[in-house]
Amino acid sequence: MKKNIQKGISKGKMVVASGMAAIGAGAYYLLGPDAKKNQKKAKVLIDKISKEVKTKSKEAKDVWNEISK
């Protein structure tokens, strides 16, 4: 009978570690050197995404209204 012997880091710990690394990278990007420039880039990107989401949601609403008639 084979025994399941786990070697290394568990999947849960790996997920937590990668999440912490992502948070650290984001904080460094927004608060580190060149912070003002990076914050402006992030704001432009967020505004662009927000406009796209509003447009797509309006399109989806129009399609839904056509389907439900």
Side-chain angles (χ1 to χ4, degrees):
M1 184 185 277
K2 261 187 173 177
K3 290 185 179 180
N4 288 335
I5 300 175
Q6 193 175 34
K7 295 182 180 180
I9 300 174
S10 70
K11 289 180 184 178
K13 288 180 183 177
M14 185 65 76
V15 169
V16 169
S18 63
M20 290 175 66
I23 290 171
Y28 179 79
Y29 182 76
L30 294 174
L31 302 174
D34 300 329
K36 290 292 180 190
K37 179 179 75 171
N38 293 337
Q39 289 170 2
K40 287 179 184 177
K41 286 181 184 178
K43 180 165 178 27
V44 168
L45 179 64
I46 289 171
D47 290 342
K48 180 182 174 187
I49 291 171
S50 175
K51 288 177 186 174
E52 285 183 28
V53 167
K54 287 178 185 175
T55 303
K56 294 294 181 183
S57 115
K58 182 167 177 10
E59 290 174 8
K61 184 178 179 184
D62 293 342
V63 169
W64 181 259
N65 288 337
E66 288 296 320
I67 292 173
S68 63
K69 285 183 180 180

